[in-house]
Structures are given as structure tokens and as C-alpha cells.
């Protein structure tokens, strides 16, 4: 596979050379030095967890052109191998995200026909686009991919953006940008309880879970009828031709059980709704982004449904809540919330205890919280083997890629997470990630000790952030931008950020909160009032003199790249 | 051997898949039993076994079951609310004038604390209706208040017939006509939408009948028609398999729908709200399964001005099957007071008054052979009151569904929520929630008509 890709690349370069009018074919000699010196790596003397529960000490992993050549303690290293000394490091199979939206863009809103009757919208307007392929909306160079890879994710099933039936998912690797990184296309039919609404008045049909449930039955049963008509027409003469309907046609692989419905369901009530549809209609199902399971475990088992647990955990607003001075009633209420919160942390442990081989879904959660949240789950009962399985072998099996992914074995794809400590240790950081045979290196921060914990303000060696910055952020809704005006405030900073007003027209501004500079990392948050709701936005990234590159993340909507440039200081003129 | 194992697996397997709702046994001693259908029985015992009323009489004995001494207390059938939106995640699929394909059973919220509050008011069954935004709304579901399991299907009264919501007048015309610029814009349009729906359903029925007939012919290869649960549900109405519950106020439109139903051969129809029902009481008595009304609630919009507190009594005296409903998470907690108001105005007897909230709504939901009165063989949905339930001082003491006690005033802890937020100490409470929820989920498109017209939203 790689050879073919390599040839393709060369061919492209040759073509480029012709187009650029170069006389000699220097492109083949890689004058820009883009091609790596070797595709062979030997990672030596590490503690290697080859599969959940199987660990080798002082083992070496030999990788060649994207494939694991050998793993063991007694391996001869070829001459062309680049050595990576991993004496104190811990290696795990590359993590697999069972359902992710990393790098997936939102399709443009469907055009509404003039005088459209909102009770009979086109399928596109209603959010029913099962014919779409997520790869058509996937940007392999999107910074979100790097964000997840940094946490060890090397393979993900990506699901499309859109409405209730947004399209088909794909499996991609988070490898080098020279490859398409596609492992398999059209592997699942993405589905969710989402009404697109919009329009004046009361929105378009279906507008609530009521209509959405009915619409799933309608789409599925009419696809069955359409398939039947097609079969009859193919085998019999004298029949009316089938009316080609792309929604129905796109559903055929689901009817044939060739691909599952990858159904986003968070609460137990939503899980039950999916399972009742599944029971009624008979499709294969993967439950994605599940957050609550305790009340539906026996039903999940009975339906033999695959589960991708959400990596998102509720914000802890309660365990440290003060209870003194509260009335008895408020005390009891607070206690119940604490129990409820703690229970949400135990969902992974409960699935493991029930023997359900679940994976994880990064969908809707923040990459920066990934390892932290997984450690919270293990602190609440999930075993280390259970965690590793949920990150590797379980999702590999759910996605049907266990043959070549999920463990560190000869012949499997070279996807590894190389950490500075055992995965459960709080201090363990990701030092390297091998994705698709390419090595990605990360800066390992020294262990924090009390003295230089948070540098709030102008600590030694921190960058200067004061001034007015122009920023641009690319969100699915389009590109938007504004200014960040940061001033010194005592030992810290204060600032104001402007942005396109959500209510349309002009700019709105908010106070920047928690402005923190640590090393060359700048982070802050701000609140946006939209439709009576308050959205929390967090921004974090790296400052390089007058350039800032980072991400803007919206709790429930994912994270988007943000770039800013500091305006020249006026005193410099 | 293998066969036996398989057979055993099937037996056990089925037992587990079809989860049984809990059934209780209890002996209630020495109560004043308000049977509703068979008079009042003083100092009487009621024996419940496995969810059913086994025996009613004096000096009943039973071993190994709980005995409750109800001396000086009143026992009545569980109250039935023929119009409620409790325990629903969504109420209105307000995006199309006909949504007969949607099912309220899909959106049951088993965690709704409203269920427990209803139990505390003696209500054991509620009819969870679709809202009134559409001329033909969704398929409703009859719930038994088996609060506690968190499994929505445990709440469904599986032996109740199917029902569906219709709506006339201002709501559907406002939502679709004024809101979206589609039919119906007027009361005439509502009638047209319903007629067109039924006519289309007849064509749909014929298409499938032709197809199924052709399938039986040798060598035939008929093409299946398109599937539409929307039209199939209307076919089921025409075939008498579904009871219509129609939101209505004005006499003219009530009479209109009676005529439409007669034309299409439909006899299973109940009118809801029916504030002008007293004007067409003889017609309601002759052609319908009755009227489910408010005791004294009106004037929340233009079409509800011509109303009277004598409505229930006039309907009843004209032999209309009449019930009093809540349409509200608040009123559902004291429907016995609402019934009492009808008695206050219309001088109904105690038995007639209790029928308004027990056997009559049971008749309107097609479940009167199972619940709605205290009779041997019926399901043991029962409430014990400390006084006569039509006294304003009476307070429900215990509420049973299928012989299982779900409410006991003496064991009524402060926090009966099944599930709480993991983050919020104070979960949002919507100030309008106590109001009628028929138009739940439907924002008003016109906001400048003056508060009084729209603050109540049935």
C-alpha cells in the first residue's frame, strides 16, 4: 500500500515539475527534504503493553514502512533503522476513537426551495442525507486531528456533521499529511436525534424526537420497499420502473446489514429509543457517545448492541461545594447531586463489570480533557486492562479492524502511543505517537513542583502578550474574527475580546477571563450570550513573538483553529 | 436433551424479554368503599391478589399478604385523567397539519416527578396526549403510574386501546396557517385537512389491499406501494381501531367533526375541552364516546369565552359520557377538587361526580372493563382518602396501581426524584409549567396580541 502511495507521490512530483517548467527531474531527488530518511524505526528497551493485560519489559518494537515488523526482547536491528531509545518509556497500542468529529466540516445549509412547505421539506432540509460521505467533508490537515493525536489517538471512525441522518462514516488514521489517511470509507450510517429546525414559525418536519422517531421508521421501511421494487424490476419484465430515490438507495447497506447504524445516544432514555427502533426495524447498531448506562445495561446486552462511551464527563461543580450553613433540604439536595455526579464517573466501570466490551467516542468532548477524564474513570473503578481494551482492542473489534489494528503485534499497522509513565500515572505524558508508521514527537513538560506551578503574569521566560491582537477563527459556520485587547493588571492580565455578534449584525465583546501564560502557552476563556444561553468558550495555544496559533473550543460543539497576530505596538513607529 | 435445553431457554428467555410490571397483593379492611358503579359499601374489605381485585365483602381473610386497616377511611377507584401531558419529553410535533405517524409512546419520560405528584393526588392512570398544534396530531398513550423503574415501557398500559389526538380551531390555524402559511388557515381549512386525510387514507388502504390481493395470485409480481405510517394510522381510525380525542371548544366545530366522522363511519370519538359542549349535548350523547371537560376554566383565548361551570352537569344530565380532566401537571394533583366544583354548580350526586374522574374517563379511553370502578376482577388501582374525596378537607393517604403501593402519605420523603442532575443544585423550573401544556413546544408566532389572549395555552 505504501509503495503504491509512494509511487503516486513521485508521479505527482514529476507532474508538478513539468508544470513548473523545470527542465531536469530534480524533484525525484527530494530537494526540499520532505521525504523522510527512513521508514524503519526501532524503539528499544521499553515497557510494552502489546494488548490489554499483556506487557513485555525491556522490549523492542521494529517498524518498517508503516507495519510492525517484530516485537520482543531479542530482535536484530536492521542497519537502516532509526533508533529510538525508550528505556524509561511505556508503549501502548495506538488509541482508537470509535466515533469522532475531528477534522469533519459542516456541510453548507441546504438551499430551501422558494415557497417550501415546512411540513414537507426536502430530505436535505430535514437533515436526511444518508448518501453523503464524511470523507467529502474531512480535512486531514485540520488542527483537531493533531490535538487528538497528541493524546494518543491514531485511528478514528469519523462521523459526518448534519441532521438526523447526516451520512456515512469512515475510518481514518491520524497519520502523515502526505497520505489520504483513509482506512475504510462508508463503514457506518451515522444517525442521531437531531432536528434541524430553522425557518420561520415552527421549523420543518421532523422537529422533535416525536417526528424523528417516526421519520426513522418511514425512511427505513420505504427503503425496504424501494429495494424490493428494484429486485422485482431487475428480474421481471412488464413492471413500472422504480423511482430512484437517493435516500432509499443510500440505506440499502443498512438493510442488508452490511453496515451498522452508528447512532448517537447520550442518556439512557435515548439509548432505549435507539434500541426500540432497532428491535422494530432490525438494523445492526453501534451506540455512540453514551453517557448514562446503569439503567439500560440488560437491554444493551439483550440487543447485542456495541457501545462507544462518551469521553466527556460532567463538570465537577459539586464535590467541593460548601455544605455548612445550608438548610437540611439543601444539604440533602447537594448530597444527591454529589451522588449523581460520582455515578456519572462510574459508567465505564459499570460497563466493564457487566462484561460489555465497550470503546470510547471522542465526539462532543475536548481532546485536552481526554487523558484526564480516562484517569477519572479508572479512579472510579475501571480497571487498567479495561481502559486499554476500551482504547484499543474493543473499538478495533467494533469497527471490524481488529485484523490490523488494536494491538502491538507483527503485521499490524504501526500505531503506538509512547508515554513517559504507565498510562494511569498522573504524571505520564505522551512523548511520541506513532501513527501510520510516522513518528510524532511531543514536548514533555518537566514534572510540576509547587514553585513554578502556574505562571500567572510575567514569570521568567514567559512571552509578552500585552497589546491588541487581530484573530481569525474557522468554525463550521464560517470564518469569523475580531480583536483581543490584553492589558497588564497587577500580577496578571485583563482583556476584552470582540467577536461577530450571535444575534447578527456587528460585533459583540466579552471580558477575557482566566488569562494564563505558562511558558509560551496562552490560555483564556470568555462567555458569549446567544439566544438566552451563555456559551463558555475556551482558547488555548502557543505564542511565538507576535503570532498566536491555537484552538477555540466550545463545550458542546468541538474545537476550531484560531490564529491571531499582534498589532505592532504604536511606540514602535 | 438439546431440545429440552432450547425449550427451557425459550421459556426463560421470553419471561425476561417481556418484562412484567409489578403486581401486588393487599387486603384493605373496614373501608367505606366508593365503588362508583355499585354504590357505597360501608365497613367493607377489599382483597387484592396479584394486581387484581379478588373479592369485595366483609370479614375477608388472607394469609401472607399485607393488611391495611382503613377504618374510618374512604377507598375509591384510582383517579383517571383523560387529558394529560405528564411524563412526556415532547408534546407537539407542530411541523405538519397531520402527524398521525408520531407516537407519544416514543417520548415517555419515566423520570418525570409529575408522575409521583399525580399519584399523591390519587391519579393512577393518565392519558398522555399529543398537543393541539395539528388538525390531526400524534398517537397518544395511556399510562399507568408505575413510578420508579425508569423504564418507559413499564408505564404503558398495554391493554388499553390506541388513541389519537385531533385539534380544531385556533391552535392548528395559528400554527400552520398564520405561522407557516399553509393549510389550515381557517376552521374550514381544518375540516378540509381532516377530510383530505381520510380520503387519502382510503386510497392508501385500497392500494395495499390491491397489492396484497395480487400477491396471492400465482406468478404475479406486484410492486409494493409506498409505506406511510401517517396514512396507515388514519386507516386504522377508519377501521375503528383507534379512538379519536379531539381538542375543541366551539359548538359549531364540534358538530362539524361529528358530521365528518359519521360520513366516514367513525364512531369512536371523544371531544376534549368542549367548552361549548352544552350547546350540542344531545348530539354528543348520540354520536360520540363523550366529552372530557374542565370544571371552570375558560377565557384564556377568544374561542373559549362562551363557557360555563354548569357544562359538566348539563352534559351529564343529557347522557353524554362526561369526564373532568387536568391538561396540567398542577390540576392533576387534585382532580377530586375539580370534580367537586362540577358538583357544586350542577348539583350532581356523589356517584355522578366521582364517575367524572373514574369510570367515565375509563369509558372514554376504552378501558372501563379493566379499571375505573371497584369491582371484582378489575385491576386494583385504588386510592385511600382520610375523608370523603369530595370534601375539600380530604387528603389522599395511599395510592395503589395493580395492587402495588406507589404513594403513602406517611412514607412521603421530601425528595422523590428518581434522577437528579450531576451538576446543578437547582434544576430549572419553568414558570409556565403549571399551565396547560397542550401547546407545549410551540412558541407563539404573534406576540403582540396582548398577554391575556395567550398566557394560557391549551
Amino acid at each position: 500500500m505504501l509503495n503504491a502511495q509512494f509511487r503516486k507521490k513521485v508521479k505527482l512530483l514529476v507532474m508538478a515539475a513539468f508544470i513548473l517548467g523545470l527542465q531536469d527531474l530534480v524533484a525525484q531527488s527530494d530537494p526540499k527534504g520532505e521525504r523522510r530518511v527512513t521508514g524503519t524505526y526501532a524503539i528499544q528497551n521499553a515497557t510494552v503493553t502489546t494488548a490489554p493485560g499483556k506487557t513485555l519489559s525491556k522490549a523492542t518494537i521494529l517498524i518498517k514502512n508503516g507495519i510492525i515488523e517484530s516485537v520482543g526482547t531479542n530482535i536484530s536491528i536492521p542497519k537502516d533503522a532509526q533508533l529510538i531509545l525508550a528505556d524509561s518509556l511505556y508503549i501502548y497500542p495506538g488509541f482508537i476513537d470509535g466515533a469522532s468529529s475531528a477534522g469533519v466540516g459542516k456541510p453548507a445549509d441546504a438551499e430551501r426551495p422558494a415557497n417550501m412547505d415546512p411540513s414537507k421539506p426536502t430530505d436535505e432540509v430535514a437533515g436526511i442525507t444518508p448518501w453523503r460521505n464524511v470523507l467529502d467533508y474531512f480535512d486531514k490537515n485540520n488542527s483537531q486531528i493533531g490535538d487528538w493525536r497528541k493524546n494518543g489517538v491514531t485511528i478514528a471512525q469519523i462521523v459526518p456533521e448534519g441532521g438526523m441522518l447526516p451520512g456515512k462514516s469512515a475510518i481514518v488514521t491520524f497519520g502523515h499529511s502526505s497520505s489520504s489517511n483513509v482506512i475504510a470509507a462508508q463503514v457506518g450510517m451515522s444517525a442521531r436525534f437531531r432536528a434541524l429546525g430553522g425557518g420561520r414559525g415552527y421549523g420543518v418536519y421532523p422537529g422533535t424526537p416525536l417526528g424523528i422517531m417516526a421519520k426513522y421508521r418511514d425512511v427505513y421501511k420505504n427503503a425496504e420497499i424501494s429495494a424490493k421494487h428494484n429486485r422485482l424490476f431487475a428480474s421481471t419484465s412488464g413492471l413500472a420502473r422504480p423511482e430512484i430515490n437517493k435516500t432509499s438507495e443510500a440505506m440499502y447497506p443498512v438493510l442488508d446489514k452490511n453496515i451498522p447504524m452508528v447512532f448517537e445516544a447520550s442518556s439512557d432514555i435515548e439509548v432505549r429509543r435507539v434500541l426500540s427502533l432497532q428491535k422494530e426495524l432490525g438494523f445492526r447498531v453501534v451506540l455512540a457517545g453514551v453517557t448514562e448506562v446503569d439503567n439500560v445495561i440488560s437491554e444493551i446486552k439483550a440487543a447485542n448492541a456495541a457501545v462507544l462511551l462518551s469521553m466527556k464527563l460532567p463538570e465537577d461543580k459539586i464535590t467541593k461545594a460548601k455544605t455548612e450553613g445550608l438548610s437540611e433540604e439543601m444539604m440533602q439536595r447537594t448530597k444527591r447531586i454529589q451522588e449523581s455526579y460520582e455515578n456519572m464517573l462510574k459508567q465505564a466501570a459499570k460497563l466493564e463489570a457487566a462484561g460489555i466490551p465497550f470503546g470510547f467516542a471522542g465526539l462532543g468532548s475536548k481532546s485536552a480533557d481526554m487523558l484526564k477524564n480516562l484517569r477519572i474513570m479508572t479512579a472510579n473503578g475501571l480497571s487498567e486492562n479495561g481502559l486499554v481494551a476500551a482504547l484499543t482492542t474493543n473499538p478495533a473489534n467494533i469497527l471490524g479492524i481488529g485484523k490490523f489494528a488494536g494491538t502491538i503485534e507483527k503485521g499490524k499497522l504501526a500505531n503506538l502511543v509512547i508515554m513517559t509513565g504507565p498510562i494511569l500515572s498522573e504524571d505520564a505524558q505522551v512523548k511520541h505517537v506513532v501513527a501510520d508508521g510516522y513518528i510524532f514527537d511531543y514536548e514533555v513538560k518537566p514534572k510540576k513542583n509547587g514553585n513554578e506551578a502556574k505562571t500567572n503574569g510575567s514569570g521568567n521566560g514567559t512571552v509578552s502578550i500585552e497589546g491588541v491582537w487581530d484573530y481569525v477563527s474557522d468554525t463550521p459556520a464560517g470564518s469569523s474574527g475580531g480583536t483581543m485587547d490584553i492589558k497588564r493588571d497587577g500580577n496578571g492580565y485583563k482583556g476584552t475580546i470582540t467577536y461577530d455578534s450571535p444575534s447578527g449584525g456587528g460585533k459583540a465583546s466579552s471580558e477575557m477571563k482566566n488569562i494564563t501564560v505558562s511558558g509560551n502557552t496562552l490560555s483564556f476563556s470568555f462567555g458569549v450570550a446567544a439566544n438566552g444561553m451563555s456559551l463558555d468558550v475556551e482558547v488555548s495555544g502557543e505564542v511565538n513573538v507576535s503570532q498566536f496559533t491555537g484552538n477555540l473550543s466550545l463545550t458542546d460543539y468541538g474545537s476550531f483553529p484560531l490564529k491571531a497576530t499582534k498589532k505592532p505596538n504604536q511606540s514602535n513607529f | 436433551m438439546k431440545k429440552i435445553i432450547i425449550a427451557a431457554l425459550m421459556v426463560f428467555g421470553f419471561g425476561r424479554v417481556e418484562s412484567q410490571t409489578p403486581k401486588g397483593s393487599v387486603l384493605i379492611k373496614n373501608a367505606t368503599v366508593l365503588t362508583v358503579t355499585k354504590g357505597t359499601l360501608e365497613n367493607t374489605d377489599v382483597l387484592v391478589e396479584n394486581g387484581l381485585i379478588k373479592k369485595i365483602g366483609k370479614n375477608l381473610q388472607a394469609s401472607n399478604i399485607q393488611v391495611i386497616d382503613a377504618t374510618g377511611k374512604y377507598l375509591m377507584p384510582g383517579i383517571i385523567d383523560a387529558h394529560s401531558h405528564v411524563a412526556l419529553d415532547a408534546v407537539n410535533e407542530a411541523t405538519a397539519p397531520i402527524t398521525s405517524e408520531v407516537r407519544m409512546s416514543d417520548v415517555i419520560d419515566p423520570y418525570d416527578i409529575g408522575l409521583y405528584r399525580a399519584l399523591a393526588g390519587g391519579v393512577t392512570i393518565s392519558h398522555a396526549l399529543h398537543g393541539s398544534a395539528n388538525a390531526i396530531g400524534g398517537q397518544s398513550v395511556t399510562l399507568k403510574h408505575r413510578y420508579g423503574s425508569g423504564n418507559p415501557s413499564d408505564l404503558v398500559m398495554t391493554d388499553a386501546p390506541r388513541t389519537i389526538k385531533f385539534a380544531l380551531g385556533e391552535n392548528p390555524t395559528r400554527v400552520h396557517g398564520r405561522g407557516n402559511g399553509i393549510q389550515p388557515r381557517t376552521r374550514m381549512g381544518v375540516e378540509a385537512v381532516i377530510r383530505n386525510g381520510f380520503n387519502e387514507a382510503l386510497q392508501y388502504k385500497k392500494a395495499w389491499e390491491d397489492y396484497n390481493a395480487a400477491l396471492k395470485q400465482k406468478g404475479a409480481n406486484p410492486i409494493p406501494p409506498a409505506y406511510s405510517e401517517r396514512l396507515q394510522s388514519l386507516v386504522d381510525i377508519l377501521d375503528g381501531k383507534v379512538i379519536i380525542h379531539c381538542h375543541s371548544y366551539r359548538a359549531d366545530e364540534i358538530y362539524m367533526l361529528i358530521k365528518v366522522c359519521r360520513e366516514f363511519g367513525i364512531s369512536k370519538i371523544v371531544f376534549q375541552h368542549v367548552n361549548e359542549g352544552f350547546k350540542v349535548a344531545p348530539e354528543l350523547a348520540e354520536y360520540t364516546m363523550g366529552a372530557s371537560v374542565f370544571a371552570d376554566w375558560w377565557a384564556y383565548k377568544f374561542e373559549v369565552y362562551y363557557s360555563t361551570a354548569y357544562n359538566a352537569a348539563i352534559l351529564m344530565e343529557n347522557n353524554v359520557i362526561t369526564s373532568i380532566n387536568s391538561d396540567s401537571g398542577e390540576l392533576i394533583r387534585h382532580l377530586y377538587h375539580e370534580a367537586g366544583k362540577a358538583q357544586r354548580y350542577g348539583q350532581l350526586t356523589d356517584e355522578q361526580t366521582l364517575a367524572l374522574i373514574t369510570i367515565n374517563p375509563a369509558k372514554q379511553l376504552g378501558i372501563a372493563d379493566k379499571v375505573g370502578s371497584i369491582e371484582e376482577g378489575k385491576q386494583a388501582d385504588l386510592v385511600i382518602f382520610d375523608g370523603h374525596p369530595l370534601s375539600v378537607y380530604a387528603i389522599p393517604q395511599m395510592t395503589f396501581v395493580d395492587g402495588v403501593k406507589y404513594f403513602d402519605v406517611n412514607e412521603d420523603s421530601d425528595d422523590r426524584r428518581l434522577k437528579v442532575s450531576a451538576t446543578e443544585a437547582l434544576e430549572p423550573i419553568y414558570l409556565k409549567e403549571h399551565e396547560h401544556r397542550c401547546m407545549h413546544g410551540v412558541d407563539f408566532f404573534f406576540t403582540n396580541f396582548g398577554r391575556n389572549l395567550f398566557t394560557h395555552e391549551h
Side-chain angles (χ1 to χ4, degrees):
Chain A
M1 192 172 94
L2 221 98
N3 272 337
Q5 272 169 9
F6 178 61
R7 275 202 297 274
K8 204 165 151 196
K9 187 183 166 191
V10 171
K11 212 167 155 190
L12 275 173
L13 283 168
V14 172
M15 273 169 62
F18 273 118
I19 291 162
L20 293 172
L22 295 177
Q23 295 302 309
D24 51 354
L25 300 180
V26 287
Q28 262 186 337
S29 67
D30 191 28
K32 287 184 183 168
E34 281 175 343
R35 206 183 310 143
R36 57 181 168 177
V37 177
T38 175
T40 307
Y41 298 92
I43 305 161
Q44 289 180 299
N45 275 334
T47 306
V48 179
T49 299
T50 56
K54 287 184 196 161
T55 301
L56 302 173
S57 300
K58 294 197 186 307
T60 293
I61 304 172
L62 185 65
I63 294 170
K64 198 168 179 186
N65 293 336
I67 306 284
I68 296 170
E69 277 276 298
S70 50
V71 191
T73 46
N74 191 11
I75 286 171
S76 56
I77 312 288
K79 281 188 191 127
D80 65 340
Q82 182 179 327
L83 301 184
I84 294 171
L85 302 178
D87 291 73
S88 58
L89 302 180
Y90 292 75
I91 305 186
Y92 298 90
F95 300 154
I96 300 170
D97 185 342
S100 165
S101 57
V104 178
K106 196 176 161 196
D109 285 343
E111 194 121 334
R112 292 184 181 217
N115 296 322
M116 186 190 75
D117 178 347
S119 70
K120 296 172 199 148
T122 59
D123 279 357
E124 283 97 328
V125 171
I128 300 164
T129 54
W131 61 83
R132 280 188 188 149
N133 177 349
V134 66
L135 292 173
D136 295 337
Y137 303 89
F138 178 61
D139 172 13
K140 61 180 179 169
N141 297 319
N142 187 295
S143 66
Q144 293 166 10
I145 289 167
D147 293 343
W148 285 99
R149 184 172 53 214
K150 198 158 67 185
N151 289 285
V153 176
T154 58
I155 289 178
Q157 169 169 235
I158 48 169
V159 297
E161 263 297 328
M164 60 178 273
L165 268 170
K168 294 195 177 88
S169 63
I171 301 172
V172 297
T173 176
F174 289 173
H176 193 262
S177 61
S178 62
S179 160
S180 75
N181 285 325
V182 176
I183 291 178
Q186 318 218 7
V187 294
M189 179 66 75
S190 181
R192 52 173 79 101
F193 296 110
R194 184 185 292 170
L196 284 190
R200 62 181 197 135
Y202 306 93
V204 300
Y205 181 90
T208 66
L210 279 164
I212 290 172
M213 289 290 284
K215 194 69 193 176
Y216 275 120
R217 297 184 180 102
D218 184 80
V219 167
Y220 194 92
K221 291 189 181 172
N222 278 312
E224 283 181 330
I225 286 171
S226 158
K228 192 168 184 184
H229 192 164
N230 280 350
R231 283 196 300 274
L232 280 171
F233 188 72
S235 63
T236 321
S237 65
L239 292 185
R241 69 169 172 82
E243 182 67 36
I244 298 301
N245 172 310
K246 57 180 178 172
T247 296
S248 289
E249 300 228 312
M251 292 297 290
Y252 292 168
V254 177
L255 306 183
D256 299 340
K257 299 193 172 63
N258 286 333
I259 63 172
M261 297 276 271
V262 180
F263 223 123
E264 285 171 40
S266 172
S267 66
D268 55 342
I269 291 189
E270 285 189 338
V271 168
R272 285 180 192 277
R273 283 180 194 151
V274 174
L275 295 181
S276 77
L277 282 176
Q278 190 261 344
K279 202 171 171 186
E280 225 174 292
L281 303 174
F283 48 78
R284 278 169 56 204
V285 70
V286 176
L287 298 162
V290 178
T291 59
E292 285 176 289
V293 294
D294 16 1
N295 210 1
V296 278
I297 279 181
S298 59
E299 284 83 354
I300 288 172
K301 281 181 121 172
N304 207 10
V307 178
L308 299 170
L309 190 70
S310 174
M311 289 200 224
K312 191 173 169 178
L313 291 176
E315 199 184 329
D316 180 7
K317 295 182 183 170
I318 200 72
T319 54
K320 290 180 196 80
K322 282 185 191 140
T323 47
E324 68 260 27
L326 288 182
S327 66
E328 176 63 23
E329 190 204 342
M330 278 311 288
M331 198 110 96
Q332 289 305 322
R333 286 185 87 105
T334 308
K335 219 176 119 197
R336 284 208 70 187
I337 303 157
Q338 284 169 349
E339 285 165 8
S340 173
Y341 171 75
E342 280 154 15
N343 189 46
M344 293 298 277
L345 313 180
K346 295 189 181 108
Q347 302 298 298
K350 287 182 176 182
L351 281 172
E352 184 187 27
I356 295 171
F358 68 100
F360 283 112
L363 211 62
S365 63
K366 286 189 215 159
S367 55
D369 290 343
M370 178 176 159
L371 292 175
K372 183 187 83 187
N373 284 356
L374 297 177
R375 284 170 188 151
I376 292 175
M377 290 181 201
T378 51
N380 284 276
L382 175 64
S383 74
E384 180 172 353
N385 288 345
L387 172 68
V388 175
L391 287 166
T392 59
T393 46
N394 292 350
N397 292 334
I398 290 169
L399 299 181
I401 55 172
K403 220 178 201 175
F404 54 82
T407 60
I408 303 176
E409 282 177 89
K410 180 177 161 61
K412 293 226 172 173
L413 298 186
N415 293 316
L416 308 170
V417 187
I418 304 172
M419 302 182 89
T420 57
I423 185 168
L424 290 188
S425 121
E426 285 291 327
D427 297 329
Q429 298 175 49
V430 174
K431 188 158 196 272
H432 311 278
V433 170
V434 180
D436 199 31
Y438 288 88
I439 310 245
F440 297 86
D441 302 321
Y442 299 103
E443 187 191 340
V444 172
K445 291 172 193 121
K447 278 183 198 171
K448 278 180 189 163
N449 52 42
N451 295 335
E452 50 106 36
K454 261 188 191 169
T455 328
N456 200 354
S458 61
N460 288 336
T462 55
V463 289
S464 158
I465 59 162
E466 286 165 88
V468 179
W469 299 72
D470 283 318
Y471 77 89
V472 179
S473 177
D474 289 313
T475 68
S479 187
S480 69
T483 58
M484 317 186 294
D485 187 356
I486 306 175
K487 292 191 175 74
R488 185 167 286 283
D489 180 30
N491 283 331
Y493 295 97
K494 63 178 183 180
T496 313
I497 184 164
T498 68
Y499 45 87
D500 294 333
S501 172
S503 52
K507 296 274 179 201
S509 68
S510 296
E511 189 196 340
M512 295 162 70
K513 286 177 285 191
N514 308 320
I515 305 175
T516 313
V517 182
S518 171
N520 55 355
T521 303
L522 162 67
S523 63
F524 63 90
S525 63
F526 63 99
V528 175
N531 297 327
M533 291 187 333
S534 172
L535 295 172
D536 286 328
V537 185
E538 289 181 32
V539 177
S540 175
E542 310 278 307
V543 179
N544 185 0
V545 197
S546 62
Q547 298 293 322
F548 173 83
T549 315
N551 274 308
L552 169 154
S553 67
L554 277 151
T555 322
D556 285 314
Y557 304 91
S559 87
F560 314 105
L562 180 144
K563 283 198 167 98
T565 311
K566 188 150 75 170
K567 285 185 180 172
N569 196 321
Q570 292 198 339
S571 62
N572 289 346
F573 283 115
Chain B
M1 186 62 194
K2 207 172 172 187
K3 253 187 191 163
I4 295 169
I5 291 171
I6 290 170
L9 275 176
M10 281 178 71
V11 171
F12 289 113
F14 273 104
R16 277 175 44 185
V17 171
E18 295 303 321
S19 71
Q20 288 284 321
T21 53
K23 305 265 190 291
S25 300
V26 64
L27 175 59
I28 299 165
K29 300 277 288 178
N30 275 326
T32 302
V33 178
L34 306 164
T35 68
V36 179
T37 47
K38 306 245 156 107
T40 299
L41 311 170
E42 305 286 347
N43 299 324
T44 297
D45 304 344
V46 173
L47 173 64
V48 173
E49 263 183 32
N50 203 20
L52 298 177
I53 299 170
K54 180 87 185 293
K55 200 147 182 57
I56 302 165
K58 309 239 178 204
N59 303 317
L60 299 184
Q61 302 290 332
S63 51
N64 294 327
I65 62 172
Q66 195 198 354
V67 178
I68 293 168
D69 178 14
T71 309
K73 298 195 169 72
Y74 288 76
L75 182 70
M76 73 171 282
I79 294 170
I80 298 173
D81 185 354
H83 192 132
S84 157
H85 305 289
V86 162
L88 293 175
D89 254 1
V91 174
N92 260 306
E93 177 59 52
T95 53
I98 300 182
T99 55
S100 41
E101 71 281 13
V102 311
R103 307 178 191 168
M104 304 318 286
S105 56
D106 282 337
V107 297
I108 296 170
D109 172 10
Y111 299 112
D112 188 353
I113 188 70
L115 287 166
Y116 183 76
R117 292 176 180 152
L119 284 162
V123 181
T124 52
I125 289 178
S126 63
H127 184 213
L129 283 157
H130 188 271
S132 55
N134 310 336
I136 301 182
Q139 301 178 50
S140 307
V141 61
T142 302
L143 302 179
K144 277 208 152 192
H145 294 173
R146 302 180 187 108
Y147 182 65
S149 85
N151 184 351
S153 55
D154 286 351
L155 292 169
V156 176
M157 183 173 181
T158 48
D159 43 2
R162 291 165 62 194
T163 59
I164 192 165
K165 179 72 172 280
F166 277 42
L168 309 176
E170 290 180 14
N171 289 356
T173 53
R174 178 177 60 238
V175 170
H176 302 287
R178 284 196 291 184
N180 279 336
I182 57 174
Q183 203 183 33
R185 178 69 177 78
T186 64
R187 289 172 201 271
M188 294 180 287
V190 174
E191 179 179 355
V193 165
I194 293 170
R195 280 178 184 280
N196 289 342
F198 284 142
N199 282 320
E200 223 184 309
L202 288 171
Q203 292 167 29
Y204 181 79
K205 185 182 180 185
K206 180 157 190 314
W208 275 96
E209 280 171 355
D210 289 350
Y211 170 72
N212 286 320
L215 269 185
K216 286 180 190 136
Q217 268 159 26
K218 226 180 165 184
N221 280 307
I223 298 164
Y227 163 82
S228 167
E229 185 158 328
R230 183 176 289 180
L231 293 175
Q232 184 58 51
S233 300
L234 300 184
V235 170
D236 293 344
I237 295 169
L238 293 167
D239 289 347
K241 294 175 186 163
V242 187
I243 305 169
I244 298 171
H245 282 254
C246 185
H247 162 109
S248 59
Y249 295 104
R250 272 179 30 179
D252 54 351
E253 63 185 6
I254 293 165
Y255 192 57
M256 173 277 286
L257 192 63
I258 289 176
K259 284 203 295 184
V260 170
C261 284
R262 291 188 66 204
E263 204 177 303
F264 285 92
I266 297 164
S267 59
K268 291 187 177 170
I269 176 161
V270 177
F271 285 89
Q272 292 281 342
H273 307 322
V274 214
N275 286 49
E276 291 187 18
F278 61 92
K279 298 180 181 175
V280 282
E283 289 81 1
L284 284 166
E286 182 157 0
Y287 300 116
T288 77
M289 289 170 65
S292 186
V293 304
F294 294 131
D296 60 351
W297 203 341
W298 56 75
Y300 38 81
K301 60 183 146 180
F302 194 70
E303 64 184 351
V304 207
Y305 271 74
Y306 203 150
S307 302
T308 166
Y310 294 90
N311 197 23
I314 295 171
L315 290 167
M316 207 161 211
E317 293 300 337
N318 279 282
N319 299 318
V320 178
I321 300 168
T322 308
S323 67
I324 286 192
N325 68 57
S326 77
D327 192 6
S328 150
E330 194 283 317
L331 281 189
I332 200 171
R333 310 194 308 166
H334 50 94
L335 270 172
Y336 46 97
H337 288 161
E338 297 302 300
K341 289 178 189 170
Q343 181 176 42
R344 155 70 182 76
Y345 287 103
Q347 283 83 47
L348 298 172
T349 66
D350 283 359
E351 202 148 279
Q352 281 178 311
T353 309
L354 290 175
L356 287 170
I357 51 173
T358 56
I359 192 70
N360 286 1
K363 286 175 184 167
Q364 294 171 339
L365 298 177
I367 51 176
D369 56 332
K370 299 173 183 77
V371 289
S373 63
I374 299 180
E375 291 179 62
E376 287 175 7
K378 280 200 167 180
Q379 295 170 10
D381 296 358
L382 301 165
V383 199
I384 300 174
F385 277 80
D386 60 351
H388 192 287
L390 293 174
S391 153
V392 288
Y393 301 107
I395 294 171
Q397 303 295 304
M398 293 181 190
T399 307
F400 299 83
V401 180
D402 299 326
V404 177
K405 188 171 72 180
Y406 287 91
F407 169 76
D408 187 332
V409 77
N410 294 316
E411 296 164 17
D412 182 27
S413 58
D414 285 345
D415 187 353
R416 299 304 297 240
R417 292 172 301 168
L418 296 174
K419 195 171 174 178
V420 303
S421 157
T423 51
E424 306 299 330
L426 294 170
E427 292 170 42
I429 289 173
Y430 300 100
L431 291 176
K432 283 191 163 183
E433 196 158 57
H434 68 281
E435 294 171 4
H436 295 202
R437 293 183 71 200
C438 259
M439 292 298 282
H440 176 93
V442 179
D443 297 322
F444 288 100
F445 190 56
F446 295 95
T447 51
N448 299 324
F449 272 57
R451 202 161 56 90
N452 292 336
L453 279 178
F454 288 130
T455 41
H456 285 103
E457 312 174 354
H458 325 238

